[in-house]
Amino acid sequence: LYGARGANGVILVTTKEGREGRAKVSLRLENSFSMPADMVDMADPITYMKLGNEAVIARNPLGVTPYSQSKIANTAKGTNPYMFPATDWYNELFSKVAVNQRGNISVSGGGQVARYYVAAAFSKDNGLLKVDKQNNFNNNIDLKKYSVRSNVNINLTKSTELAIKVQGNFDDYIGPLNGGDVIYSLAMKSNPVLFPKYYPKEGEYKDATHTLFGNYDNGLYMNPYAQMVKGYKEYSRTLILAQGELKQQFDFITKGLSVKANVSLSTYYSRISQTATNSNPTFYIDWNRYDAGDGNPWIYSAASEHVYENTPYAVTRGAMQNNYYVTFYWEGALNYNRTFGDHTVTALALFNQRENAKVVDFPYHSQGLVARATYDYKHKYLFECNIGYTGSEQFSPKNRYGFFPSVAVGWVPSQERFWKQAMPWWSKMKIRYSDGLVGSDSAAERWLYYTSYVSDSSGNITEDKSANLEAQWEEARKRDLGIEMGWLNNRLTLNLDLFDEKRTNMLVKPNVTMLVGTSYKEVNRGSMKKHGIDIELGWNDRTKSGFNYHLTALLSLNENRITNYEDCLLYTSPSPTIRKWPAKPTWGRPAA
C-alpha cells in the first residue's frame, strides 16, 4: 500500500483526539536514572605496564622495554601521582549515572459539534561526561526538547468532519565538539601511566589562568580530557507541522462509502554552531627536573620545561550552519467499508503527492496511486490485495513509474465449530501468508538520467558523472508465513513468523577503470536476500486485586546476505567529451 515508502518498513503514528465530555486534564512527571548496563574490563596500570614489557620481549628478546621496574614499583606504591601517574581515564571523564527528566500535560474534551485535544511536553536528557571545576563551561551533553500539539475535530454537518492538527517540536542541544562516542573511544585507548589529565596550579604556575593539561614526549599524545573540554557544539532544531483533514460520508449514495482529503505543510529549521575555547591546549610535560628538596616533589621548579604554550585561553566561534526545509503533501482517498451478514468487504483508492524542498536546492517530487481490497467471512477466512503505482523523479520517463502488487490470505481455525468443540482451551489459532513487491528509489545522487557537470575555480565546466538512462526501481519481494496461537482465553500466546526477502536491481556505485575517463551515476547491479524467524511468547493476566501485568519473551534469528555487488566496467563511446549509454548497457570491458 505504501509503495516506495514500504521497502524498509513503515511506522504508523496516530495522535490522540478529543472526545465528547467534560474537560479532562492529565499530568505526568518522570525522573529517570541512566547508566551503562555493562562496561569493558580494563587492565589495571601495573598489569598494563607488565604486559607492555612482555609484548616487547616476546617480539625481540633484546628489545628495550618501555616501562622500567622503578616506574612500575613507584606507580604501585603511589609515590607521586604526577610523576608516576595511574590515570583511570574512563572514571576521570565519565560519571556513573545520568539523571533525566520528562513531563507532559494534556487537556481534552468537547461537545457534539467540536472536540479538542491540547498537549505540551518537556524532556531534559543529560550525558555522562563529568564537569570539572578546572573548566570554565559545562561541557556535558544537555539536550532539551519541547513539544506542543493541538488537535481539533469539528462536525460541519452530520456527515462531514473537519480536523485541524498543529504540532511544534523544538530541540536545544549543547555538548562536546567531538561527541560522547569519540570521548569514550579516546578514554578506552589512552595510555594510563604516561601523564595525568592535568597538573596542579602550583609553584611558578600558581597564577596560571588556564588548565595545565598533561602530556608526554613533546606533546605527541592525545589527552582525552583536553579533547573533551576544548570546546562545545550547540544546535537548535524547529519542526512545525500543520495538517488539515476533511472527511465526507456518502451513506446517502450507498452505505459505507466515504471520501477523505488530507493536506499538510511542514517546515524544518536547524542551526548549528561550534565554539572552541582551548583549540590549542597547553601541555606541561617534562617532569625530569622537578624540585624534590622542598617537601613538595610534585610542585614545579623554575627549571621545569613546558611546550606548546600558545594562547592560554581564547574563544573561537565557528561559522553558523543553517538548514531550512519545507514539505508539502496532499492526498485524496475513496473508501468503502460494508458488512453484508457474515461478509465484510472493504476497498480503498488513494492518490498522493509530495514535494520536499530545501531553500537553496531544487525540490524533490514523488507521487503515487494505490488501491486495496479486503474480504472477511465470519472472521475465519481473510483475503487482502494491494496495488501500488508510484512515480519518482530519479528515473527517466520510461522507467519513472513502478508497479508493486501484493496479496495476503488468512485462516482462523479457532473460529471453526469443530475446533471450539474439540479444543475449547485452545482459544486462538490463526495462519496467514503474504507475498508481494515493494520498491525503493533511494540513491546517493539525484536525477540518475542526467549527466552532471562541475566547474573549477577558473569557471571551466567539465563532465562529472555520466547519466544512466536505464536506471530503474529497486524491487524487494517480501514473503511472510505467520502462525498466531493463544491458550487459556489468550492469557498465554505464541506468535511465529517465518520471513524472507529478495531485493534485486539495487542501485550501486559502479567501479570503472581509468581507461574509461569518467565516472557514472548509480546502476542497478546489486542484489541481496534476507530470511529469518521471529518468535514471541507472552503471558497476560490480571490478579484478583486488579493488577494487570504482561510478560513477553522475544527471539529473532535472521541472516542478510549480499548476493551480487559486481565491479562493473561500463561502455563508453569514443568521444572524449560526450558519453552516452547504449539502449542496453554493455557490462564487462569498455568497447574498443
Side-chain angles (χ1 to χ4, degrees), residues 399-414:
N399 295 324
R400 181 153 297 165
Y401 286 87
F403 180 70
F404 309 109
S406 67
V407 63
V409 294
W411 178 40
V412 188
S414 56

Side-chain angles (χ1 to χ4, degrees), residues 84 212 220 258 301 318 489:
F84 304 105
L212 311 182
L220 296 181
S258 65
S301 70
N489 292 325

Side-chain angles (χ1 to χ4, degrees), residues 70-97:
S70 174
K71 178 175 177 62
I72 295 176
N74 280 285
T75 303
K77 294 178 182 179
T79 303
N80 185 325
Y82 298 106
M83 187 173 183
F84 304 105
T87 309
D88 185 343
W89 285 110
Y90 180 84
N91 287 324
E92 290 285 354
L93 304 183
F94 292 90
S95 302
K96 297 184 181 300
V97 178

